[in-house]
Structures are given as structure tokens and as C-alpha cells.
Amino acid sequence: MKSTNQITYSLGATFSGAPFWFGIQLLAVAAIAFLNLENLFIRYLISAVLVIPAIGLLLSIQEIVIDGGNQCLNTFFKFGPIKIKLNQRDLKRCDKVILELFTENQTMNMKSISTTVRTRSYDIYTEGETHKTLLVEITDYQKAKQFGKEVSNILQIPFEDSYQNVRETAKKIRSRRKR
């Protein structure tokens, strides 16, 4: 049951972690069974029974739940209606929630396409005196800002938009140069 002091955010298909690797192994077993079993009915039955859960495991659909009451971050693996807790991180010693811009450039040596691909994501962190915990990466600035404010309200700690602070500082520097 979801309490009002929680935020849930779906990370979607992550293609990572223990469920992903278990799904790959299950697919391998299904392929081996399909190729090696003599009886056609049993071959198709065992392969189908193994492939269906393997696909769910391969996707590794995960979600995070930030619990304001317990001041913790829980990561869950979702397999249909079943939720399995993967880990829990303590957020009690966090002083603030930070939104930061993360950019990455990749250059490709191909003449037929654009040579530079630039990705932008906005990272939401909680920061304490000794540690920084990444909560989530979001590609849309407005959604990231809204999520950061919601986390800040739930955990009752201040929200800092360092991306906006950097943009304002850059505008001031540009205006000084133009003078």
C-alpha cells in the first residue's frame, strides 16, 4: 500500500543487474532445450515456458520508491504484478537535493551521418556531508525539476537547481563581456 509520504518513479527497462543475467541464462537454456529435445510437443512446451519469463527478466523493469517516513530509497525489480526489493539506501544524513546537468559527447568516424552525438540528462542527487547519492536521471529539464522539488518536499530538505544557477551565472558573465 502506497503512503502519501512516498514518491514512486519508474526507471523502465534497464537491461542490467542480476535479473537481466538470469534472463539471458534462461534464454540460453530455452534455446538448448529447443535444439536438443526429440519430442516436438515437449520441445515447444519447455521452450515457451522458459522464454516467456526470460523476456520479463531480460527487460529488468525497475522502479524506485523514495520513502519520506523512513528516509530511504528503495529499488524494486518488477516482474508483472510481483515486486522484488533489490536494495535500500539510507537518506537520513542527506542535507539537500541537487539537480545537475550531465552531458556527454560521442564522436563517430562516419562520413554518411553526423559525426557528433550529444546527450543531455539531468541527474537528481541527494547530498550529505560525506556522500552523494544518485536518485534518478531524467532527460527532460522540467520533469527533473518537478521531481527534485517533490523529493525535497518528501524528505523535508532544501532543493538546489545547480543547472539553473550555472545558466544564470553564464548570462551574467556574457552580459559583462558585451559591455
Side-chain angles (χ1 to χ4, degrees), residues 9-175:
Y9 186 81
S10 177
L11 299 175
T14 58
F15 299 104
S16 63
F20 172 76
W21 293 109
F22 186 68
I24 284 181
Q25 290 174 345
L26 212 55
L27 267 180
V29 169
I32 291 168
F34 183 77
L35 295 173
N36 292 328
L37 291 175
E38 295 291 328
N39 188 335
L40 284 178
F41 176 73
I42 293 176
R43 175 191 296 186
Y44 291 126
L45 179 68
I46 289 178
S47 296
V49 167
L50 292 176
V51 165
I52 292 170
I55 291 172
L57 291 170
L58 272 173
L59 292 176
S60 298
I61 298 173
Q62 295 181 10
E63 76 177 16
I64 61 167
V65 176
I66 299 170
D67 187 358
N70 296 328
Q71 298 277 309
C72 64
L73 167 71
N74 298 309
T75 306
F76 292 95
F77 166 69
K78 290 178 65 176
F79 188 72
I82 301 168
K83 275 185 171 181
I84 300 168
K85 185 188 265 188
L86 296 176
N87 65 18
Q88 179 175 353
R89 286 185 248 158
D90 185 28
L91 300 176
K92 289 180 182 167
R93 292 189 223 151
C94 295
D95 301 334
K96 60 184 170 182
V97 177
I98 303 171
L99 181 143
E100 289 182 349
L101 172 67
F102 174 76
T103 61
E104 186 174 67
N105 293 328
Q106 180 181 7
T107 303
M108 293 177 265
N109 295 323
M110 300 177 80
K111 292 182 180 180
S112 63
I113 61 173
S114 175
T115 58
T116 304
V117 176
R118 185 172 152 196
T119 59
R120 297 176 73 159
S121 69
Y122 301 91
D123 297 342
I124 309 288
Y125 291 96
T126 54
E127 186 176 69
E129 289 180 19
T130 59
H131 66 286
K132 197 173 182 179
T133 303
L134 175 65
L135 301 179
V136 70
E137 297 175 359
I138 302 175
T139 56
D140 181 51
Y141 172 69
Q142 293 302 325
K143 288 180 183 176
K145 187 175 178 180
Q146 178 184 359
F147 183 77
K149 287 180 179 179
E150 289 175 7
V151 171
S152 168
N153 290 337
I154 290 289
L155 297 177
Q156 298 174 350
I157 55 179
F159 173 69
E160 179 184 313
D161 187 350
S162 66
Y163 171 67
Q164 187 64 33
N165 294 345
V166 168
R167 288 187 66 181
E168 289 172 2
T169 304
K171 281 183 185 178
K172 289 177 185 175
I173 291 171
R174 274 189 239 124
S175 67

